[in-house]
Amino acid sequence: MYRTHTCGELRLSDTGKKVRLAGWVQRIRKFGKMTFVDLRDRYGITQLVFAEAINQRLDQHPLNREYVIQAEGRVVERSNKNPHLPTGDIELLVEQFEVLNEAKTPPFTIEEETDGGDDLRMKYRFLDLRRPPLQRNLWLRYQVARAVREYLDEQGFMDIETPFLIKSTPEGARDFVVPSRMNPHQFYALPQSPQTFKQLLMVSGFDRYYQIVRCFRDEDLRADRQPEFTQIDCEMSFVEQEDVLHIFEGMMRHVFRRVKGIDLPNPFPRMSWEEAMWNYGNDKPDLRFEMLLQNLKVRHKLYCEALHQTGFGVLDQAETVMAIVVPGAATYTRKQVDELTEWVKRPQIGMQGLLYVRCLADGSLKSSADKYFTPDRLAQLQQFCQAHPGDLILILAGKEDKTRKAAAELRLEMGNRLGLRSKEEFKPLWVIDFPLFEYSEEESLPGSVGRWVARHHPFTAPKPEHIAQMVENSPLILPGTDYQDHPYAKIKANAYDMVINGQEIGGGSIRIYQRDLQEKMFTALGLSAEEARQKFGFLLGAFEYGAPPHGGIAFGFDRLCAILGGSDTIRDFIAFPKNNAGRDVMLDAPSPLDEAQLKELHICLRKDQHEN
Amino acid sequence: MYRTHTCGELRLSDTGKKVRLAGWVQRIRKFGKMTFVDLRDRYGITQLVFAEAINQRLDQHPLNREYVIQAEGRVVERSNKNPHLPTGDIELLVEQFEVLNEAKTPPFTIEEETDGGDDLRMKYRFLDLRRPPLQRNLWLRYQVARAVREYLDEQGFMDIETPFLIKSTPEGARDFVVPSRMNPHQFYALPQSPQTFKQLLMVSGFDRYYQIVRCFRDEDLRADRQPEFTQIDCEMSFVEQEDVLHIFEGMMRHVFRRVKGIDLPNPFPRMSWEEAMWNYGNDKPDLRFEMLLQNLKVRHKLYCEALHQTGFGVLDQAETVMAIVVPGAATYTRKQVDELTEWVKRPQIGMQGLLYVRCLADGSLKSSADKYFTPDRLAQLQQFCQAHPGDLILILAGKEDKTRKAAAELRLEMGNRLGLRSKEEFKPLWVIDFPLFEYSEEESLPGSVGRWVARHHPFTAPKPEHIAQMVENSPLILPGTDYQDHPYAKIKANAYDMVINGQEIGGGSIRIYQRDLQEKMFTALGLSAEEARQKFGFLLGAFEYGAPPHGGIAFGFDRLCAILGGSDTIRDFIAFPKNNAGRDVMLDAPSPLDEAQLKELHICLRKDQHEN
C-alpha cells in the first residue's frame, strides 16, 4: 500500500499514529540539520520533517520540486502551527522515505499564480492542471455535473446516450465529418447537438430525457469558443413552455444551492425578447445593474422631443439615437470622456462618435454639442432620461442595429468601470417570446430579397396563435418591401433563453410535432421537399406515427461552470482544451495521416489547398 | 397542462378524483355503446372508458393504435379488476378528450413480442423503442450508470471529461479520423479509449478519475460489435493491483445489488491466466458450470498414459489432445454424437473430428475408436478424466492453439445443451497474471521472426520482478528458435480482467510510469525512438515531471448492461445502434458529402475505391 492517508487528512487527533503518505514535493526548506518538505496531493499539503539520520540520507538523495515521494513516520504536534492549513497543527516526523519518481524542473511554477505564459501552459497542460486554480475548476465542474444529475434523476429524467457518428445535415453551423472506410465515399458527421435524437426519444415515449453530452461545431473559432463543447441536453413530452421553465429554473436553483450555497430567486424574473432589446439592446441582459438604454429615436421615430430638428445632421439624419445615464459620472475628466469616445470608435463597436451631457451637481447641464442643444432641449433630454445631478448622459446615433448593439456594449463597459458587475452576484432571467425567424440578407430564395432563417432552429414551433400567420403567407420577401413589414417578422415562438449575468447559459423551445407544420417550416427556410426528405426524412416520418407535444432546453455546460467559477474563460474549466486555432498543442493534433490510412478511407488530399 | 397524472399512477385511493391523462392508444375494444381504450405511457397503462355522449363523439372521431390523445374525466373503481396491472383497480370515465396527434398504422406491432423483422425495426427504431423490452433495457442501462456513478462518487473518484478530437496513433485498432478544415491536410482522430488522457490526469494529480465515455474503433464489424461503444473508464494513483481489484469488485457488487438485488461474492474468486487457459481453454472462463478441460497431451507432452503410442495416427501425431467429460450424456444417440462431430468440424471451430467414450451405466466403456483403445487404455482415460458411469467423454486432437480453443467452445456448447448457463445466475471472476506480450507472426522486425505485441496495451507495466527480464533481453526472435522459448514469453504483467459468465466485462493493468521503461516497451514493440516521440511524446514528456505510480481499468458498459439484462445482444441496450455494416439505417448514415464541403476540408474522393 502506497499510503495510509492523503496529504489533506491528518489532524491533531492523529498525533502519535504511524502513517505513510505519498505525493509531490511542493517546497523544501533547510534549517541546519533539519529539512522541512511540503508534500502535496489533491487533498492538501502536509509538512514532512526530516531530522538526524534520515536528514543525512536526504542529503545523499536530494529531493527537488515535483518529485513524487513516499514517506513513513509518526504524526507529531507542530510547535509552530500554521492556521492557514487544515493539516497545520501537525507534521510528519519522517522515519523512512522513498523517491517514487524524479521530476525535471517544471517549465513554470506549480503555484496558485504561475509565471508560465499561455502557450507554455497549454503545451504542458498536465502540469498546469496541478495548479490549485485548475484543480478547483475541475472539481467545481464535477460538482456541477453531480448537482445536475441529482436534480434531473430526482425529477424522473432518464440519461439516454445518443450516437456520435450520425448524418451530416448542413444546416446551421458546419459539421465535423468522418470518412467511412466500410462505406466508400460516404461520411458520418459528429453531432452539433442531439436535437433530432432527443425528439425521436420523445416519439418513442421516453418522456423526460437528459444527457451531459459532447457536441461539435466546425466554426471559425472566436476567443473562448471550442470546436468540442459539452451540453446539458434535455427534452420533455406533454409539456408547455410553463412546465419547461418551471423544471429548469428549479435545476439552476438546485445547482447554485448545492455548488455555491447561493439561493437564486423563485421564480426567476422574465422578460420578453422585445423588452430586452428595447431596454438592454440585446437578448441577454445583465441584470446586476440598471442603466437602461434610453430610446430617444428609433428607426426615425422620435420618442424624445429634445431631438426634434436640432440642426445637428448627425442626430437629425440618424435612424436611431440612444442614450445611457451613467450615475455619478458627471465629473469624468475630458480625458476619460475622450477615452470612451475612442472606445465606441473601435472597429468591434464601430460608431462614429459619442455625445455627452454632464448633469452637474449644481443642476446645470453641459453638453458636447451645446451649439445644437439649447438649454430647453437639454432639460427635455435630462427629464426623458431621468438623469440626476451628478450623472453623465452618453448618446450614440446611427443605424438602428449597430447603434443598439453599441449602446448595449457601452452599458456593459460602464457597468465594468463602475464596478457594478460583481462575480459574486448572480442575476438569472428568462428571456421569452423570441421571434421565430431572423432575416438573413446573405442568402436568397428565387424571387426573394434575402431569406428567413430559424432564429433558434428549424424544429421550434411558432406560438399557436401565430401558426396561421406562418401557414397562410409566403416566405418570399418581395423586392422593394422592407423585411420588417413581412408577416413572418411578427411571428413569435415559444422559445426561451436562460440568462445569468448577461450570458446566455441555456436556450430551448417548444417543438413542432406535426409533419405538415414541420414541412411548412422547412419550406419557409428554403428547403425543397426533396432536400427536407433527404436530410430530415426520419424525423418527418417519425412525426407520422404518434409524436407527442414536446419541448426542451440545452445548457452550455462549460459556460455554466465558468460563470459559477467567476471566470470568463471556459478554457479554464475544460481539462484538455484546444487553442484558438482548434489545435491541441499538448498532443500536437490534428496531424497528417499516412498514405495507407488515406487510401483505406478512400480519400485523397486536395492539391488546391491554398485556394479556399 | 397536458396531464395531471401519468398512466401508471392512479390507484383505488384516487377514486372520485378529476384527472387528465395523456399518452398513446394501445388497444381499443368496443362493447355496444361503450368503448374501452388502453392508454399507454412509459409509466404504465390506464383503462379509459368512453360511454354515452362521449362515446358518440368517439364514433365521429375514431381513434386508432398509437394515436396520441389527452383525456379528462373521473377515476372510478372497476367492476372487472385486472390484477396484472398496477392501475387495474380503476378506470377513467372520460368526459372530454382530444386527439393530440394521429398515427399511421405502425409497420409492426408495438407489443412485448413484435412481428417486425430486424431491418424494419432498425429503420423504425423510434417505434421499436416504444416496445416494453426496449423501454426496460434503456431503463436498466440508466440504472446501471446511476449505480456506477453513485459508487465511484462515494469512493472519491472525479468524473473528468477528456477530448474527442485527438491525435491519430495507429496502434491497436484503426482510428476513425476527422479532417481539419482549419489545419489543411491534417486530421483529428476519435479516441479508441481515453487511455493516455487518464494517465496524464494521474500525472496532474487527480488521483481517482472516472468517466462513462464513448469510444470509437473502425474495425471490421463482427456480430454484436459497434463502431461506437461506451466504456466505464477509471484510473487511480498510488495503487497496486490489489487496491484496484478491491475497489472495482466493490463497484460490481454495488451495481448488482442496486440494479438486480443480487449479492455477488466478496471477494471475487481469482484465477491466473495460465490456470484459465489450462482448465477452460480461454481467458474468460464461464464458472456457472464445471466440465473442466482434460489436458491429455499438450504440445507433445503426454499427461495421460492412455494415449501412449495408441497406433492411431490422429492421436499419436497430434500436438495436443484434450477431453471434456459431459455428465450424464453417455446415452446420447448416435445422431446426437454425429451432430456434435459436425459442430466441431464447422469452419468456425475447424477440427477434423471428434472422438468419444461412453461411460455406460453398467460401468463398461465404449469408444468410437475401440480399435486403438484397449479396455486398459479406456480405464486409464476414464480415471484420468474422473468420468463417472453415465458420462460421455469427448476428445479433440490437433494443433495446440486450435484444439484448446475448440475444446473451450465445445465446453460452452455442452453447457448450453445441458442448460447449465442460466441467465439468472452470475459468476464473477478475476483473471490475473496475464502475459505482458503476445506473439504475432504477421508482422516482423528486421532480423526477427514475427514480433511481440502488447497483450493489453503498450502502457501496461511488467510485474516488478520481471522488469529485468525485459530490460536485459532483446525483443528479436531469432530464426530457428521457438518464440515460446524467448525470455519475453515468460514476462507477466499486473494486468487483470473481470469476467462474468464467460464474458470479459472489464480489463486493466498497473501502468508504466517511468520514461525509460516506457521507451524500452516501445522498443520491444518495434517502435523506433522517432516514432515513439512522434506518437507518444507528450506522454513520455509527462513521465519526466513527476508521474505517480498508477493503474486502472475500463469496463464495456454496453456489454455489462446486456449481461445484467440477460441478453447476448448489446444492440438491444443502445438507443440508436448501427447495423453490422456500421450503418444507421434510420438516419441513412453515413452518406455522401457535397463537393463544396469536401473542398472546404481540403480532401477529395479517391478514384481507385475498388482497389483495396
Side-chain angles (χ1 to χ4, degrees):
Chain A
M1 197 193 293
Y2 276 103
R3 58 184 176 189
T4 56
H5 295 75
T6 72
C7 296
E9 205 173 347
L10 295 170
R11 297 288 182 276
L12 206 51
S13 56
D14 296 305
T15 306
K17 279 189 194 159
K18 183 143 187 171
V19 303
R20 196 185 294 164
L21 299 181
W24 286 263
V25 172
Q26 175 78 19
R27 215 146 68 101
I28 306 166
R29 283 152 299 158
K30 287 193 162 288
F31 290 104
K33 294 187 170 171
M34 308 258 280
T35 306
F36 295 91
V37 170
D38 284 350
L39 193 68
R40 185 196 72 228
D41 64 16
R42 85 158 148 117
Y43 308 94
I45 286 181
T46 301
Q47 178 163 293
L48 311 181
V49 187
F50 294 75
E52 304 178 2
I54 200 82
N55 194 39
Q56 286 172 30
R57 239 199 84 206
L58 194 62
D59 286 339
Q60 290 145 28
H61 305 275
L63 303 179
N64 218 327
R65 278 202 288 143
E66 301 304 320
Y67 271 40
V68 184
I69 70 167
Q70 187 183 33
E72 205 173 301
R74 278 194 199 280
V75 181
V76 296
E77 185 173 355
R78 273 210 220 180
S79 53
N80 192 5
K81 296 196 173 57
N82 180 347
H84 303 298
L85 223 54
T87 63
D89 288 350
I90 57 91
E91 59 196 4
L92 182 72
L93 197 57
V94 177
E95 292 164 13
Q96 280 186 41
F97 76 98
E98 197 182 333
V99 173
L100 299 173
N101 216 345
E102 300 188 351
K104 294 207 292 197
T105 303
F108 47 83
T109 53
I110 314 288
E111 306 270 357
E112 186 72 27
E113 300 281 341
T114 182
D115 55 354
D118 255 13
D119 291 350
L120 201 61
R121 288 188 293 121
M122 286 287 272
K123 181 166 178 201
Y124 293 92
R125 184 70 174 178
F126 51 86
L127 293 180
D128 206 22
L129 285 173
R130 280 190 197 158
R131 293 175 48 232
L134 284 159
Q135 292 264 329
R136 285 195 300 270
N137 289 354
L138 291 196
W139 176 254
L140 177 107
R141 185 181 176 105
Y142 169 51
Q143 294 314 309
V144 176
R146 284 183 75 173
V148 165
R149 290 184 190 282
E150 188 175 59
Y151 178 84
L152 293 176
D153 290 346
E154 179 69 28
Q155 295 289 328
F157 284 78
M158 271 176 77
D159 179 1
I160 302 178
E161 293 173 65
T162 52
F164 279 80
L165 296 172
I166 66 165
K167 187 183 172 104
S168 185
T169 52
E171 267 297 297
R174 257 186 231 97
D175 285 326
F176 281 105
V177 300
V178 180
S180 167
R181 180 178 56 84
M182 297 216 286
N183 302 273
H185 296 180
Q186 299 193 25
F187 295 76
Y188 302 98
L190 300 178
Q192 297 183 27
S193 89
Q195 181 64 32
T196 48
F197 293 102
K198 66 178 178 177
Q199 294 193 245
L200 289 174
L201 288 172
M202 295 304 108
V203 175
S204 297
F206 282 101
D207 211 46
R208 291 189 166 200
Y209 144 92
Y210 86 97
Q211 199 181 183
I212 300 182
V213 62
R214 202 71 51 84
C215 302
F216 304 85
R217 273 179 213 176
D218 185 11
E219 290 176 295
D220 295 319
L221 299 173
R222 283 180 270 154
D224 217 30
R225 281 267 185 112
Q226 290 280 321
E228 49 176 316
F229 55 95
T230 302
Q231 202 164 283
I232 306 168
D233 193 51
C234 309
E235 196 80 5
M236 305 170 74
S237 290
F238 300 116
V239 288
E240 286 154 351
Q241 171 169 303
E242 200 56 39
D243 304 300
V244 180
L245 301 193
H246 174 74
I247 286 277
F248 290 100
E249 63 174 73
M251 181 182 97
M252 206 48 69
R253 276 194 296 273
H254 181 80
V255 168
F256 271 77
R257 202 160 42 233
R258 270 292 213 215
V259 176
K260 301 283 288 184
I262 287 174
D263 282 316
L264 294 184
N266 183 3
F268 283 7
R270 298 183 189 184
M271 191 183 291
S272 75
W273 177 82
E274 303 251 11
E275 190 187 342
M277 293 304 290
W278 186 261
N279 284 329
Y280 297 89
N282 64 29
D283 55 8
K284 43 184 184 180
D286 185 341
L287 297 193
R288 283 174 296 183
F289 64 108
E290 287 276 329
M291 221 190 284
L292 301 197
L293 308 191
Q294 303 300 324
N295 292 272
L296 309 181
K297 182 162 72 164
V298 178
R299 297 187 193 276
H300 296 297
K301 182 175 173 195
L302 210 57
Y303 291 84
C304 172
E305 277 305 312
L307 294 194
H308 185 66
Q309 294 179 2
T310 61
F312 187 7
V314 168
L315 294 178
D316 291 354
Q317 284 144 36
E319 186 184 10
T320 291
V321 183
M322 307 193 75
I324 59 173
V325 177
V326 187
T331 55
Y332 264 35
T333 62
R334 179 63 191 255
K335 192 175 159 218
Q336 282 175 299
V337 177
D338 284 350
E339 197 196 355
L340 285 179
T341 306
E342 288 313 306
W343 191 89
V344 302
K345 287 164 100 173
R346 294 182 316 152
Q348 299 95 310
I349 306 292
M351 298 305 290
Q352 300 292 328
L354 181 69
L355 297 172
Y356 63 85
V357 178
R358 293 178 200 273
C359 306
L360 297 171
D362 64 3
S364 68
L365 301 166
K366 181 92 191 75
S367 92
S368 60
D370 275 351
K371 185 171 160 196
Y372 307 104
F373 278 132
T374 59
D376 276 3
R377 287 184 190 271
L378 285 177
Q380 273 176 325
L381 187 69
Q382 180 189 23
Q383 196 183 6
F384 185 90
C385 296
Q386 297 180 285
H388 299 102
D391 293 351
L392 177 68
I393 305 174
L394 299 174
I395 301 167
L396 293 165
K399 297 277 280 179
E400 160 70 15
D401 291 356
K402 186 180 253 185
T403 305
R404 191 166 295 276
K405 193 160 174 293
E409 293 291 335
L410 182 60
R411 172 180 177 270
L412 294 176
E413 175 65 18
M414 296 317 298
N416 284 338
R417 294 190 183 208
L418 298 183
L420 301 174
R421 304 178 74 194
S422 159
K423 285 180 175 172
E424 296 307 312
E425 192 185 4
F426 296 95
K427 290 286 190 181
L429 168 74
W430 285 111
V431 177
I432 57 175
D433 300 339
F434 278 88
L436 183 63
F437 294 107
E438 245 172 13
Y439 175 69
S440 161
E441 54 185 351
E442 281 151 38
E443 297 167 83
S444 272
L445 301 183
S448 178
V449 180
R451 75 166 177 100
W452 298 106
V453 295
R455 202 194 168 287
H456 189 57
H457 56 48
F459 313 108
T460 296
K463 280 183 184 282
E465 61 272 28
H466 294 171
I467 290 179
Q469 204 160 329
M470 179 173 132
V471 174
E472 290 162 12
N473 288 288
S474 156
L476 299 187
I477 303 154
L478 301 180
T481 59
D482 189 338
Y483 74 89
Q484 293 179 71
D485 300 329
H486 192 282
Y488 277 32
K490 308 286 180 297
I491 299 174
K492 292 287 193 296
N494 277 327
Y496 30 81
D497 278 359
M498 189 189 284
V499 173
I500 296 183
N501 292 1
Q503 307 239 37
E504 181 210 319
I505 57 159
S509 63
I510 299 298
R511 324 298 185 186
I512 298 171
Y513 64 103
Q514 306 94 333
R515 177 170 181 140
D516 49 356
L517 189 57
Q518 187 65 66
E519 283 180 332
K520 179 73 192 171
M521 176 55 119
F522 287 141
T523 307
L525 299 174
L527 261 74
S528 72
E530 172 56 23
E531 283 171 311
R533 195 200 55 73
Q534 206 183 358
K535 291 174 184 167
F536 300 108
F538 57 97
L539 188 67
L540 291 170
F543 285 173
E544 292 186 316
Y545 289 98
H550 61 287
I553 193 166
F555 294 90
F557 183 55
D558 308 299
R559 172 70 56 206
L560 175 60
C561 293
I563 290 179
L564 280 156
S567 166
D568 295 328
T569 317
I570 64 171
R571 195 192 283 176
D572 292 343
F573 293 79
I574 297 173
F576 299 102
K578 311 260 184 299
N579 74 6
N580 279 344
R583 293 197 69 84
D584 185 320
V585 295
M586 180 187 73
L587 300 180
D588 191 24
S591 57
L593 291 190
D594 60 36
E595 181 60 19
Q597 263 180 295
L598 293 172
K599 192 168 177 189
E600 270 197 327
L601 296 172
H602 321 283
I603 58 172
C604 49
L605 303 179
R606 201 175 268 264
K607 295 291 186 299
D608 53 355
Q609 59 169 296
H610 299 296
E611 274 180 32
N612 87 332
Chain B
M1 199 193 292
Y2 276 102
R3 59 184 176 190
T4 56
H5 295 75
T6 71
C7 295
E9 205 173 345
L10 295 170
R11 297 288 181 275
L12 206 51
S13 57
D14 296 305
T15 305
K17 278 189 193 157
K18 182 143 188 171
V19 303
R20 197 185 295 164
L21 299 181
W24 286 263
V25 172
Q26 175 78 17
R27 215 147 67 102
I28 306 166
R29 282 153 299 158
K30 288 195 163 289
F31 290 104
K33 294 190 171 170
M34 307 260 280
T35 306
F36 295 90
V37 170
D38 284 350
L39 193 67
R40 185 196 73 228
D41 63 16
R42 83 157 150 119
Y43 308 94
I45 285 181
T46 300
Q47 178 163 294
L48 311 181
V49 187
F50 294 75
E52 305 181 1
I54 200 83
N55 194 40
Q56 287 172 29
R57 238 199 86 207
L58 194 61
D59 286 339
Q60 289 146 26
H61 305 276
L63 302 180
N64 218 329
R65 277 204 287 144
E66 301 305 319
Y67 271 40
V68 185
I69 69 166
Q70 189 183 32
E72 206 173 299
R74 279 196 198 279
V75 180
V76 296
E77 184 172 358
R78 271 211 222 181
S79 53
N80 191 8
K81 297 197 174 55
N82 180 347
H84 303 298
L85 222 53
T87 63
D89 289 349
I90 57 90
E91 58 195 6
L92 182 71
L93 195 58
V94 177
E95 293 163 14
Q96 280 186 42
F97 77 97
E98 197 180 335
V99 173
L100 298 173
N101 216 345
E102 300 189 352
K104 294 207 291 197
T105 303
F108 47 83
T109 54
I110 313 289
E111 306 271 357
E112 186 73 27
E113 301 282 340
T114 181
D115 55 355
D118 256 13
D119 291 349
L120 201 60
R121 287 189 292 120
M122 286 287 272
K123 181 166 176 202
Y124 293 92
R125 184 71 175 177
F126 50 87
L127 292 180
D128 206 21
L129 284 173
R130 279 190 197 159
R131 293 175 48 234
L134 284 159
Q135 292 265 330
R136 285 196 301 269
N137 289 354
L138 291 196
W139 176 254
L140 177 108
R141 186 180 176 106
Y142 169 51
Q143 295 313 309
V144 176
R146 284 182 75 171
V148 165
R149 289 185 191 282
E150 188 176 58
Y151 178 84
L152 293 175
D153 290 346
E154 179 68 29
Q155 295 289 329
F157 284 78
M158 270 175 77
D159 178 1
I160 302 178
E161 293 172 65
T162 54
F164 280 80
L165 297 172
I166 66 165
K167 187 182 173 106
S168 185
T169 52
E171 269 295 296
R174 256 186 233 97
D175 285 326
F176 281 105
V177 300
V178 180
S180 167
R181 182 178 55 85
M182 298 215 285
N183 302 273
H185 297 180
Q186 300 193 25
F187 294 76
Y188 302 98
L190 300 179
Q192 296 183 28
S193 88
Q195 181 64 32
T196 48
F197 292 102
K198 66 179 178 175
Q199 294 193 243
L200 289 173
L201 287 172
M202 295 304 109
V203 175
S204 298
F206 282 100
D207 210 46
R208 292 189 165 200
Y209 143 93
Y210 87 96
Q211 199 181 183
I212 301 183
V213 63
R214 201 70 51 84
C215 302
F216 304 86
R217 272 178 214 178
D218 185 11
E219 290 176 294
D220 295 320
L221 298 173
R222 283 180 272 154
D224 216 30
R225 281 267 186 112
Q226 289 281 321
E228 49 176 315
F229 56 95
T230 302
Q231 201 163 282
I232 306 168
D233 193 52
C234 309
E235 196 79 5
M236 305 169 73
S237 291
F238 301 116
V239 289
E240 287 153 352
Q241 171 170 304
E242 200 55 39
D243 304 301
V244 180
L245 300 194
H246 174 75
I247 286 276
F248 291 100
E249 62 175 73
M251 181 182 96
M252 207 47 70
R253 276 194 296 274
H254 181 80
V255 168
F256 271 77
R257 201 159 43 233
R258 270 293 214 213
V259 176
K260 301 283 288 184
I262 288 174
D263 283 315
L264 294 183
N266 183 5
F268 283 8
R270 297 183 189 185
M271 191 183 289
S272 75
W273 177 83
E274 303 252 11
E275 190 187 344
M277 293 304 290
W278 186 260
N279 285 328
Y280 297 89
N282 64 28
D283 55 8
K284 43 183 186 182
D286 186 341
L287 297 193
R288 282 173 297 183
F289 65 109
E290 287 277 328
M291 223 189 283
L292 300 197
L293 308 192
Q294 304 299 324
N295 291 272
L296 310 181
K297 181 163 74 163
V298 177
R299 296 187 193 277
H300 296 297
K301 183 175 171 193
L302 211 57
Y303 291 85
C304 171
E305 277 306 310
L307 294 195
H308 185 66
Q309 294 179 1
T310 60
F312 188 8
V314 168
L315 293 179
D316 291 355
Q317 283 145 34
E319 186 183 11
T320 291
V321 182
M322 309 195 73
I324 59 172
V325 177
V326 187
T331 55
Y332 265 35
T333 61
R334 179 62 192 257
K335 190 173 160 222
Q336 281 176 300
V337 177
D338 283 351
E339 197 196 356
L340 285 179
T341 306
E342 288 313 305
W343 192 89
V344 302
K345 287 163 99 171
R346 294 182 317 151
Q348 298 96 309
I349 307 291
M351 298 304 292
Q352 300 292 327
L354 181 68
L355 296 172
Y356 63 87
V357 178
R358 294 177 200 273
C359 307
L360 298 171
D362 63 4
S364 68
L365 300 165
K366 181 90 190 74
S367 91
S368 59
D370 275 349
K371 186 171 159 195
Y372 306 104
F373 279 132
T374 60
D376 276 3
R377 287 184 188 271
L378 285 176
Q380 273 176 325
L381 188 70
Q382 180 188 25
Q383 196 182 8
F384 185 90
C385 294
Q386 298 180 285
H388 300 101
D391 293 350
L392 177 68
I393 305 175
L394 300 174
I395 301 169
L396 293 165
K399 297 277 281 180
E400 160 71 13
D401 292 356
K402 187 179 253 186
T403 306
R404 190 165 296 275
K405 194 159 173 293
E409 293 291 334
L410 182 60
R411 172 180 177 271
L412 294 176
E413 176 65 18
M414 295 318 297
N416 283 338
R417 293 189 184 209
L418 298 183
L420 301 174
R421 304 179 74 194
S422 159
K423 284 180 176 172
E424 296 307 313
E425 193 186 3
F426 296 95
K427 291 285 190 182
L429 167 74
W430 285 112
V431 177
I432 57 175
D433 300 339
F434 277 88
L436 183 63
F437 294 108
E438 245 173 12
Y439 175 69
S440 161
E441 54 186 351
E442 281 151 38
E443 297 167 83
S444 272
L445 301 183
S448 178
V449 179
R451 73 166 179 100
W452 298 106
V453 294
R455 201 195 168 286
H456 188 58
H457 55 49
F459 313 108
T460 296
K463 279 182 185 283
E465 61 271 29
H466 294 171
I467 289 179
Q469 203 161 330
M470 178 171 132
V471 173
E472 289 161 14
N473 288 288
S474 157
L476 299 187
I477 304 153
L478 301 180
T481 59
D482 189 337
Y483 74 89
Q484 292 178 72
D485 300 328
H486 192 283
Y488 277 31
K490 307 286 180 296
I491 299 174
K492 292 287 193 296
N494 277 326
Y496 30 81
D497 277 359
M498 189 189 284
V499 173
I500 296 183
N501 291 2
Q503 306 241 37
E504 181 211 319
I505 57 159
S509 63
I510 299 299
R511 324 296 186 188
I512 298 171
Y513 63 101
Q514 307 94 333
R515 176 168 183 141
D516 50 355
L517 189 58
Q518 186 65 66
E519 283 179 333
K520 180 73 192 168
M521 177 54 120
F522 287 141
T523 307
L525 300 174
L527 262 74
S528 72
E530 173 55 24
E531 282 172 310
R533 195 199 56 73
Q534 208 182 356
K535 290 174 184 166
F536 300 108
F538 57 97
L539 189 66
L540 292 170
F543 284 173
E544 292 186 316
Y545 289 99
H550 60 287
I553 193 166
F555 295 89
F557 182 56
D558 309 299
R559 173 70 56 206
L560 175 60
C561 294
I563 290 179
L564 279 156
S567 166
D568 294 328
T569 317
I570 64 171
R571 197 193 284 178
D572 293 344
F573 293 80
I574 297 173
F576 299 103
K578 310 262 185 297
N579 74 6
N580 279 343
R583 292 196 70 84
D584 185 320
V585 294
M586 179 186 73
L587 299 180
D588 191 24
S591 57
L593 290 189
D594 60 37
E595 181 60 19
Q597 263 180 296
L598 293 172
K599 190 168 177 190
E600 271 197 327
L601 296 172
H602 320 284
I603 58 172
C604 48
L605 303 179
R606 200 175 268 265
K607 295 292 187 300
D608 53 357
Q609 60 169 298
H610 299 296
E611 274 179 33
N612 85 334

